[in-house]
Every structure is written in structure tokens, then in C-alpha cells.
Amino acid sequence: MTRFVLSLAFALLLAAQPAGAGVTSLEESLADKVLGDPKAPVTILEHSSLGCPHCAAFHKETLPRIKAEYIDTGKAKLIFRDFPLGAPALAASMVARCGGAGERYFGFLELLFQTQAKWAGAPNPLKELENIAKMGGMSPQDVQQCMANEALMKGLQENQKQSQIKYNVEATPTFVVNATRIPGAVTYDDFKKVLDAELAKIK
């Protein structure tokens, strides 16, 4: 599964990579990142830190099954909300959001989760993030420009604060499926029960 997800992340990055990818605008960087049909009846709000092992495990083991059964079929959409815990995770969030929109963004996201062990605990996380960002067409200069974007950093921190206030997010991952809050790492079967219950309310 790890190799498959990593290959998928590369495929998304390469397929959606424009010539001279550069850095995404501030407005696009801070926009909601939606996986699936925006009109899908069930909304999964995911609050995750890119440096969180449980969050990486969700993306490796659980999300592919949710995507196949609920997101790709138009039953649900996932909105990713950054909740960075620590400076390396914040830097990774900024890189992903500077890296592109749509499928390209989610390609960066998966790549960063899959390479988490390489950059999160590195002596120089930013250097490792620069190397990883190259795979998505971002130069070291692009990454440095991204890191210098104070408005982006403050915007992510403000969004994190709002998640604490509105959804009582204290740890990662924390999910909100429509109005149902799911704290912590849960199995696919547990997630499925909540999704099916929310879909049943709509019928």
C-alpha cells in the first residue's frame, strides 16, 4: 500500500504540474482544499498535522478505502484543514499549500505524509523539505519564498485557532463528519459507520 500511495502522489504531481510551477498565490494557498465533488452530501473535515504519525497512518491505510467507496462515488467530500503541531509541520503545510491547487495539492500532501520520517525529525527539516518539493517542480528558491510568506503563516495559524474554537480540536487527527466529531485515529470500519449514518439521514 505504501508504494502504491507514493506512486499515486507522484502521478498526481506530474500530471498536474504546469511548466515553471513556481509558488501558488496567497489566495489560492489559503483556500479550502477539497477532495471530491464539492456538492457531495457528506462533508469530512480532516484536521491533521503533517508531522503526526497517526495522521500519516490514516492517509496510508484508511483514506484510500474512504476515497474509493465514498469520495469517488460522490457520496462524500474531504476538506483538509492544517493543524500543524510544531515548526517542521508548519513549514510542511506551507510548502504543500504553496505547491499547487486541486489534485496537485493533494499530491504534495500525500508525498509529505509518505516521507514524514525523512523530514519531520531531521536536523534540518527545511533542507529535506526543499529536496522533497523538487519532486513536485518547486525549486529551493520557491520554497524559501514560501517560507518568507508571513501572511500565509499567519493565515494557517488563524485557521488553526478557529478549528480549536469551533470544533474543539486539541490533537490530531480530529475529524468532523457533518455534525459528528471523531477525535483520534479510528479504523475504517468505525469511520464507515459514521459515514453510513450520515448518509442515512439524507435519504
Side-chain angles (χ1 to χ4, degrees):
M1 180 64 76
T2 302
R3 187 174 299 173
F4 171 77
V5 175
L6 191 56
S7 297
L8 179 61
F10 276 120
L12 289 172
L13 282 170
L14 292 173
Q17 180 178 324
V23 175
T24 306
S25 70
L26 177 64
E27 182 180 8
E28 179 59 49
S29 294
L30 287 174
D32 269 348
K33 302 304 181 183
V34 183
L35 183 64
D37 183 352
K39 296 180 181 179
V42 174
T43 299
I44 305 167
L45 280 179
E46 176 189 353
H47 302 89
S48 280
S49 171
L50 284 169
C52 158
H54 290 301
C55 302
F58 169 78
H59 277 254
K60 173 186 172 184
E61 299 163 6
T62 307
L63 182 57
R65 298 180 68 183
I66 292 173
K67 184 175 183 295
E69 186 168 345
Y70 295 94
I71 296 175
D72 292 346
T73 56
K75 297 175 184 176
K77 62 181 176 290
L78 182 142
I79 300 176
F80 187 88
R81 297 277 171 86
D82 288 284
F83 200 90
L85 301 175
L90 177 58
S93 292
M94 293 174 71
V95 167
R97 287 183 174 264
C98 286
E103 289 186 351
R104 183 173 163 75
Y105 169 77
F106 282 97
F108 257 112
L109 203 65
E110 296 307 327
L111 184 60
L112 287 164
F113 272 129
Q114 291 299 319
T115 58
Q116 184 187 87
K118 186 174 183 180
W119 60 265
N124 188 342
L126 185 56
K127 185 64 178 177
E128 293 298 335
L129 288 171
E130 286 180 359
N131 292 334
I132 293 165
K134 286 180 185 177
M135 302 176 194
M138 291 181 71
S139 69
Q141 291 74 28
D142 290 333
V143 174
Q144 290 162 16
Q145 178 185 340
C146 182
M147 292 299 102
N149 191 334
E150 189 174 348
L152 174 59
M153 180 180 69
K154 288 184 175 179
L156 289 173
Q157 290 172 330
E158 177 60 27
N159 290 344
Q160 183 174 4
K161 180 180 177 182
Q162 291 305 314
S163 291
Q164 289 176 306
I165 295 170
K166 188 172 182 180
Y167 300 109
N168 194 29
V169 179
E170 297 177 348
T172 58
T174 296
F175 305 91
V176 181
V177 180
N178 284 359
T180 303
R181 186 172 176 274
I182 307 175
V186 297
T187 66
Y188 170 76
D189 289 339
D190 288 338
F191 224 108
K192 178 178 172 61
K193 289 175 185 176
V194 175
L195 290 169
D196 288 345
E198 291 300 325
L199 285 167
K201 294 177 184 177
I202 299 166
K203 294 179 181 178

